[in-house]
C-alpha cells in the first residue's frame, strides 16, 4: 500500500511538476478556506439584514459540513475513477461559482442550497489534492508537503479576514462573496500545467475491480481494516472538534470567564494562524523524520496539556501568546492526516479514503462548538478545558492502537 513510484525525486531539488503540484494544491486549499470563512465574517450582517433566527443561522454551517461530506464521497470516487487533475479543477469550479452566487441570495432557502453546493466542491477538493501530493513526492516527504498545503488554508483565512474588513463596511456582505470567482483562475493553471502522475496511470492500467468495490475491500472488508478506518475517523473528529472548539470559543471564553477585553480580533487571528503554521511545519518535519507515532504522540499529549494554559491568560499579550501555543499543537497536526491516510491506503482508493475519513471528522467534529456552548452555560472553564483535554487523550489512545503506524515507522527506518 506504500507509494511505489520510484521515479519521484527524493532530493531537496523539486521537479517542475512537483512545484506545480504543491503550488496548485496550496492555492486551492487557501481559496477553499477563504470562501468557507466568508460565511463566518458575513454572518452577523446576514442575520441582521435577513432577520434570521440563531437556529436558522447556525444551520448554515451544518449544511455546509453535510455538503462537504457528500462531496467528499462523490468526488473521492470520481478522482479515483477518472483522474486527479480533472476532478481537482471541477471541485474548484463548483465551490467558486456556488460562493459567488451567494452575492444574489436574499432568502434562507437559497442560502442553504448554495452553501450545500459550495460544501460539495470544498469537501471534494481535499482528498484529490492530497492524492496529487502523495503521488508526486517521495513518501518520506509527504508529512512536510501535506503540511505546506495545509498552511495554504491558513493563508486563505488571513485573506478572508482582510477582504471582509474592507468590503463588508463599504459594499455589504453580498459583494464579499463575489470574490468566490477568484479560484476559477486557478483552474486554468491546474489544467494547463498538471498531468496525471505515473503512479495513478499505472494503477489504472492494473485495475481489476470497480472503485466502489476497491473502497470496501481496502477500507472495511475485514475487522482489522474497518477498525483502522474508524479509528482514523475518530482522530480526525477530535482534530476538527478541537479546532472549532478552541478557535470559535477561545476569545469568548477568555472574555467571559476571565474578564479580559480582547479588542484586537485581527491580532488574535494573526497570532493564532502564525502558531498553527509553525506547528504544521514542525509536525510535518517530525512525521517525516521520526514517523507518525512519535509526531502524533508529542502533539496530542501537548494539546491535552496546553488547553489548560488558557486559564493563565490575564491580559491581551498573554492571551495572544497562549493562543499561538495552543494553535501550534492543536492544529499543527492537520496536514499529517493526509500523509498518513495516503500511505495506509493504496493508489486506487486514495482520494476516496482521504475524503471519507477527513470529511466525516468535519461533519461530526463540527458539533463541538455546540457542546462547548452548553458546557459554558452550566460549568466552569476548567470543566470545558477538561472536555477538550479528554478528547485529545482519546485520540492519543486510538492512535497507539493502530498497527499500520508502527509499520510505517519501520519502513522509514530502513530507507
Amino acid at each position: 500500500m506504500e507509494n511505489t513510484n520510484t521515479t519521484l525525486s527524493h532530493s531537496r531539488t523539486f521537479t517542475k511538476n512537483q512545484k506545480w503540484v504543491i503550488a496548485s494544491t496550496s492555492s486551492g486549499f487557501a481559496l477553499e478556506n477563504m470562501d468557507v470563512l466568508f460565511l463566518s465574517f458575513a454572518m452577523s450582517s446576514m442575520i441582521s439584514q435577513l432577520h434570521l433566527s440563531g437556529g436558522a443561522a447556525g444551520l448554515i454551517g451544518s449544511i455546509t459540513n453535510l455538503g462537504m461530506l457528500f462531496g467528499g464521497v462523490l468526488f473521492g470516487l470520481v478522482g479515483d475513477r477518472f483522474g486527479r487533475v480533472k476532478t481537482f479543477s471541477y471541485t474548484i469550479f463548483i465551490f467558486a461559482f456556488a460562493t459567488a452566487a451567494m452575492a444574489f441570495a436574499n432568502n434562507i432557502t437559497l442560502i442553504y442550497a448554495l452553501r450545500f453546493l459550495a460544501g460539495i466542491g470544498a469537501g471534494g477538493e481535499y482528498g484529490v489534492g492530497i492524492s496529487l501530493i502523495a503521488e508526486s513526492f517521495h513518501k518520506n516527504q509527504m508529512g512536510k508537503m501535506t503540511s505546506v498545503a495545509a498552511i495554504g488554508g491558513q493563508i486563505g483565512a488571513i485573506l478572508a479576514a482582510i477582504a471582509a474588513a474592507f468590503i463588508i463596511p463599504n459594499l455589504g456582505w453580498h459583494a464579499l462573496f463575489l470574490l468566490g470567482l477568484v479560484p476559477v483562475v486557478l483552474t486554468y493553471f491546474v489544467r494547463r500545467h498538471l498531468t496525471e502522475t505515473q503512479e495513478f496511470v499505472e494503477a489504472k492500467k492494473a485495475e481489476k475491480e470497480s472503485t466502489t468495490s476497491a473502497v470496501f475491500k481496502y477500507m472495511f472488508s475485514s475487522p482489522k481494516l474497518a477498525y483502522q478506518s474508524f479509528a482514523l475517523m475518530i482522530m480526525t473528529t477530535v482534530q476538527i472538534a478541537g479546532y472549532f472548539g478552541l478557535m470559535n470559543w477561545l476569545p469568548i471564553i477568555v472574555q467571559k470567564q476571565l474578564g479580559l477585553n480582547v479588542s484586537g480580533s485581527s491580532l488574535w487571528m494573526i497570532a493564532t494562524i502564525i502558531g498553527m503554521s509553525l506547528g504544521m511545519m514542525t509536525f510535518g518535519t517530525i512525521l517525516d523524520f521520526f514517523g507518525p507515532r512519535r509526531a502524533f504522540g508529542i502533539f496530542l499529549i501537548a494539546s491535552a496539556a496546553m488547553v489548560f494554559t488558557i486559564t493563565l491568560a490575564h491580559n491581551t499579550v498573554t492571551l495572544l501568546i497562549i493562543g499561538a501555543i495552543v494553535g501550534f499543537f492543536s492544529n499543527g497536526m492537520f496536514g499529517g492526516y493526509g500523509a498518513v491516510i495516503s500511505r495506509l491506503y493504496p493508489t486506487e482508493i486514495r482520494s476516496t479514503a482521504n475524503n471519507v475519513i477527513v470529511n466525516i471528522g468535519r461533519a461530526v467534529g463540527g458539533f463541538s462548538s455546540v457542546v462547548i456552548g452548553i458546557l459554558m452555560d452550566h460549568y466552569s472553564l476548567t470543566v470545558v478545558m477538561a472536555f477538550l483535554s479528554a478528547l485529545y487523550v482519546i485520540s492519543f489512545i486510538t492512535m497507539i492502537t493502530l498497527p499500520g503506524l508502527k509499520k510505517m515507522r519501520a519502513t522509514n527506518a530502513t530507507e
Side-chain angles (χ1 to χ4, degrees), residues 267-283:
L267 285 177
W268 156 256
M269 173 170 282
I270 291 170
T272 304
I273 289 176
I274 289 174
M276 289 178 179
S277 300
L278 291 174
M280 288 174 180
M281 286 308 301
T282 304
F283 181 88

Side-chain angles (χ1 to χ4, degrees), residues 45 47 71 86-87 123 129 205 247 268 271 327 337 351 356 360 372 389 411-412:
S45 298
I47 291 173
K86 288 182 179 180
T87 306
K205 289 179 180 179
M247 297 310 117
W268 156 256
Y337 292 98
S351 66
V356 168
I360 285 178
I372 289 177
S389 181
T411 301
N412 286 346

Side-chain angles (χ1 to χ4, degrees), residues 1 31 53 73 85 87 94 105 116 134 145 165 193 205 225 234 239 252-253 268 271 290 297 315 374 407 415:
M1 293 186 185
L31 294 168
S53 67
V73 175
V85 177
T87 306
I94 290 172
F116 184 78
M145 292 302 103
H193 295 283
K205 289 179 180 179
L225 288 172
I234 290 172
Q239 175 67 39
I252 298 173
I253 287 173
W268 156 256
F290 292 106
N315 54 60
I374 295 172
K407 295 178 182 178
E415 292 179 346

Side-chain angles (χ1 to χ4, degrees), residues 295-379:
F296 277 108
I298 292 170
F299 274 66
L300 286 169
I301 293 300
S303 295
M306 287 297 161
V307 292
F308 289 102
T309 62
I310 293 170
T311 60
L312 302 178
H314 298 298
N315 54 60
T316 303
V317 173
T318 56
L319 172 61
L320 294 176
I321 294 172
I322 289 171
I325 294 173
V326 172
F328 179 95
F329 289 108
S330 67
N331 208 43
M333 297 174 279
F334 184 75
Y337 292 98
V340 167
I341 295 168
S342 294
R343 290 184 58 187
L344 289 176
Y345 296 94
T347 306
E348 51 263 45
I349 69 157
R350 185 168 286 140
S351 66
T352 304
N354 269 291
N355 272 347
V356 168
I357 291 170
V358 171
N359 283 305
I360 285 178
R362 280 174 173 167
V364 179
F367 286 100
S368 66
S369 293
V370 178
V371 176
I372 289 177
I374 295 172
L375 290 175
M376 283 182 62
D377 288 338
H378 297 91
Y379 300 98

